[in-house]
Amino acid sequence: MLIAVICVFLLAILLQVLGFFEVIGTGKDFNGIFTLKDHLPLYCVALGGLLLYLLPKKASTIIFGLLFISFLSFSAFLLLNTQFNWNTNLSLEVDTLFFALRWVMLGFIVFYGFIKKTLTFWILVALLVGISIGHDFPFFGQGLQIFSQIFLKMIKVIIAPLLFATLVYGIAGHSDIKQVGRMGWKSLLYFEIVTTFALIIGLIAINVSKAGVGIKQAAAVAHDIPKVEAQTAKEVILHIFPDSIVKSMAGGDVLQIVIFSVLFGIALIMVPMAQRKPLINLTESLSETMFKFTNLVMYFAPIGVGAAMAYTVGHMGLGVLVNLFHLLITLYIALIVFILVILLPIALIIKLPIKRFIQAIAEPVSIAFATTSSEAALPRAMEAMVSIGVPRKIVAFVMPTGYSFNLDGTTLYLALASVFVAQAANINLTLGHQIVIVFTLMLTSKGVAGVPRASLVILLGTAASFGLPTWPIFIILGIDELMDMARTSVNVIGNCLASVVIAKWEGEFDPNSEEAKEISI
């Protein structure tokens, strides 16, 4: 850790000499004028690491607690000062002091990672550092988007071969076509029940909060959303089935890959054992290799996650937390209620070891939260479920299927957002109209879990179908990144729980299995 602290100090000195912070802080050409804040962050991070290294554990804990309290107090003061128009102007020295203390606190957190040495903790560290970089150096934060894009590309290259290999091996490797059928109807029944509850909670939340009432149409703002046409029922059904598996894999269409893989696995069962064995061995080896491939890519996860947060905050600013706060808090409260009222009782009913489950899903949920992509979390989530005792054949079938049919967070969000659009446009929807619209959204949203903010595209298409205006949707776009983080995280939690439910239902949940012991999360 000491070597890392020294390296950060040396990097700070080097960047100060090069004038780097002036460039990344403003996004302008270097003009030779520096402020103290341009030099402080790396020095403060290194100072935090040095204090953590030199001081006893108890003293370090006390200092970190004081820094955390000062950070919360100062942030609360700034928020109240803005909200209530106190017009209290802080001196440059006071502002710089709290700026420095915040980065020293981050230094404690960053270098504690060298003690903790877990990937999950490093991802959480990256989240915090990414937020700070995006807030303090927005131009630089937006430039970091390339690292989050690299991470997402590396994850996407895993998805198709991993799904194909695990599904085919899970079906053909056990030669039990009856179990595949049982898992199919059990999964769909469970998905339908849970997503219906999500739909109901979303409708209740938006009708109680009335977050869209009173919003006035603002001037149009250009946004990079593709033009969409309303989908017919025929188009929705046809989209489920692939016309080219290569095209489906290249496009990352999870549902089409699942359909092809299931049919391929069933067909393989019907082949004589002599011809079947080589393909079963191949898919088993490919499955194991892709999980190891995932482990390699996950080492890049903290950088990808931190870069994603830096870009989000740098692009949108922290002020977005205040804008449309009513709608945002409605969604977050509704999702929390869904977890506590629906998912938690299910976990208790099946006697799930909740603490171990939370530890297992912490990393994939963190990835989903930062990248706003369920697809990015899928490989690690599948490994996590195997590690707590869900057989790989069940994980391989239930989780990819759930990513198309069990979008708990997205379903709840679409219910809430569709009624918000009508409220903002002052259109009075009866309960019957609301249910018809939301069930339509449930159908048209299948298979979009892997695409960040694809639900906005679905929402636009459905608005066109029911004659709703689109301008409220563009208002939602302002905070959609923050909403997508929450709903995507709930999607991942819901699908992880679904795999445990089906494993328990099949009587095959075994925390002490050989498969579980092979994976360390």
Side-chain angles (χ1 to χ4, degrees):
M1 185 171 75
L2 182 60
I3 295 174
V5 171
I6 294 172
C7 288
V8 173
F9 266 124
L10 293 176
L11 180 61
I13 294 170
L14 176 62
L15 294 181
Q16 181 177 347
V17 171
L18 296 175
F20 186 67
F21 277 108
E22 177 66 15
V23 177
I24 67 172
T26 64
K28 301 176 182 178
D29 294 333
F30 171 63
N31 58 14
I33 301 174
F34 291 94
T35 65
L36 186 59
K37 282 188 176 181
D38 292 324
H39 308 308
L40 275 179
L42 280 180
Y43 287 115
C44 291
V45 168
L47 177 60
L50 189 62
L51 290 173
L52 183 65
Y53 178 78
L54 294 176
L55 295 176
K57 183 178 180 180
K58 187 175 182 179
S60 298
T61 303
I62 292 173
I63 292 177
F64 177 79
L66 293 174
L67 289 171
F68 186 66
I69 292 171
S70 67
F71 164 70
L72 290 180
S73 301
F74 186 65
S75 299
F77 170 77
L78 293 179
L79 180 62
L80 294 173
N81 189 35
T82 302
Q83 290 297 306
F84 295 101
N85 297 317
W86 290 347
N87 297 321
T88 303
N89 295 318
L90 298 174
S91 66
L92 178 62
E93 290 76 13
V94 172
D95 186 55
T96 303
L97 172 63
F98 281 98
F99 175 87
L101 292 177
R102 172 160 57 85
W103 279 99
V104 171
M105 182 182 70
L106 281 174
F108 270 84
I109 297 172
V110 169
F111 285 99
Y112 185 70
F114 288 93
I115 299 173
K116 195 73 173 174
K117 294 180 180 178
T118 64
L119 187 59
T120 302
F121 185 81
W122 274 110
I123 289 173
L124 296 177
V125 169
L127 280 170
L128 297 175
V129 174
I131 291 171
S132 295
I133 290 175
H135 176 59
D136 295 332
F137 303 102
F139 180 78
F140 180 56
Q142 291 180 60
L144 292 177
Q145 187 188 22
I146 186 174
F147 294 105
S148 64
Q149 290 174 332
I150 290 171
F151 176 64
L152 286 176
K153 280 181 174 289
M154 293 302 294
I155 287 292
K156 286 180 179 179
V157 82
I158 297 171
I159 299 299
L162 179 64
L163 289 184
F164 175 77
T166 52
L167 274 170
V168 172
Y169 176 69
I171 294 171
H174 297 83
S175 302
D176 189 351
I177 196 167
K178 290 184 178 179
Q179 185 180 32
V180 175
R182 282 201 315 273
M183 286 194 298
W185 73 258
K186 287 177 180 178
S187 298
L188 291 176
L189 176 62
Y190 173 80
F191 296 160
E192 183 58 38
I193 292 172
V194 175
T195 52
T196 299
F197 278 120
L199 159 66
I200 293 170
I201 290 173
L203 283 178
I204 292 173
I206 191 64
N207 280 288
V208 169
S209 74
K210 299 188 182 298
V213 175
I215 293 179
K216 298 186 182 297
Q217 183 173 0
V221 180
H223 293 289
D224 185 22
I225 296 183
K227 185 178 179 180
V228 294
E229 302 293 338
Q231 286 187 308
T232 65
K234 178 182 176 182
E235 289 170 335
V236 172
I237 294 171
L238 284 176
H239 181 72
I240 296 174
F241 301 94
D243 53 6
S244 168
I245 188 57
V246 176
K247 179 181 175 183
S248 301
M249 288 184 171
D253 197 315
V254 174
L255 185 55
Q256 293 185 3
I257 296 171
V258 169
I259 293 294
F260 176 84
S261 301
V262 169
L263 293 175
F264 189 93
I266 293 172
L268 192 57
I269 291 177
M270 301 176 181
V271 174
M273 181 57 72
Q275 288 78 34
R276 185 196 317 165
K277 191 67 175 175
L279 272 177
I280 291 176
N281 292 337
L282 174 64
T283 53
E284 182 183 16
S285 297
L286 179 59
S287 174
E288 292 294 333
T289 302
M290 293 314 298
F291 277 114
K292 298 300 180 185
F293 190 104
T294 301
N295 290 338
L296 292 177
V297 174
M298 283 303 118
Y299 287 120
F300 189 71
I303 296 174
V305 166
M309 289 304 300
Y311 171 76
T312 300
V313 176
H315 180 65
M316 298 164 59
L318 289 176
V320 75
L321 295 173
V322 178
N323 297 331
L324 294 175
F325 180 76
H326 197 179
L327 175 61
L328 187 67
I329 200 65
T330 300
L331 175 68
Y332 273 69
I333 289 175
L335 290 172
I336 292 171
V337 168
F338 174 75
I339 291 173
L340 295 178
V341 174
I342 305 300
L343 298 187
L344 181 59
I346 291 173
L348 294 174
I349 290 170
I350 65 174
K351 297 180 181 178
L352 174 69
I354 294 176
K355 183 178 179 181
R356 188 175 177 187
F357 179 76
I358 292 173
Q359 290 173 340
I361 66 171
E363 186 180 315
V365 169
S366 299
I367 293 171
F369 182 84
T371 62
T372 66
S373 173
S374 301
E375 188 179 69
L378 176 58
R380 203 60 170 177
M382 293 175 72
E383 261 195 313
M385 291 303 96
V386 174
S387 74
I388 67 170
V390 182
R392 183 159 289 173
K393 61 180 180 180
I394 293 180
V395 171
F397 181 86
V398 175
M399 291 199 67
T401 309
Y403 270 51
S404 294
F405 292 101
N406 190 40
L407 305 176
D408 300 333
T410 300
T411 300
L412 191 152
Y413 160 78
L414 289 172
L416 186 148
S418 59
V419 178
F420 171 85
V421 170
Q423 289 177 349
N426 200 27
I427 297 174
N428 185 27
L429 293 177
T430 65
L431 180 61
H433 284 141
Q434 292 181 28
I435 292 174
V436 170
I437 289 175
V438 174
F439 271 103
T440 302
L441 285 166
M442 286 178 64
L443 290 175
T444 56
S445 67
K446 301 309 180 189
V448 302
V451 184
R453 287 169 301 287
S455 51
L456 270 178
V457 177
I458 298 299
L459 198 57
L460 282 168
T462 307
S465 298
F466 288 91
L468 296 174
T470 58
W471 64 262
I473 300 175
F474 288 95
I475 292 178
I476 295 174
L477 183 61
I479 56 166
D480 188 63
E481 185 91 12
L482 293 171
M483 300 176 80
D484 206 0
M485 290 173 175
R487 64 179 180 252
T488 304
S489 300
V490 173
N491 286 344
V492 174
I493 295 171
N495 281 313
C496 288
L497 180 60
S499 67
V500 181
V501 170
I502 302 303
K504 289 270 191 177
W505 201 344
E506 287 288 299
E508 295 193 28
F509 183 78
D510 183 9
N512 299 314
S513 67
E514 290 300 320
E515 283 183 336
K517 292 177 181 177
E518 290 175 1
I519 299 176
S520 176
I521 297 293

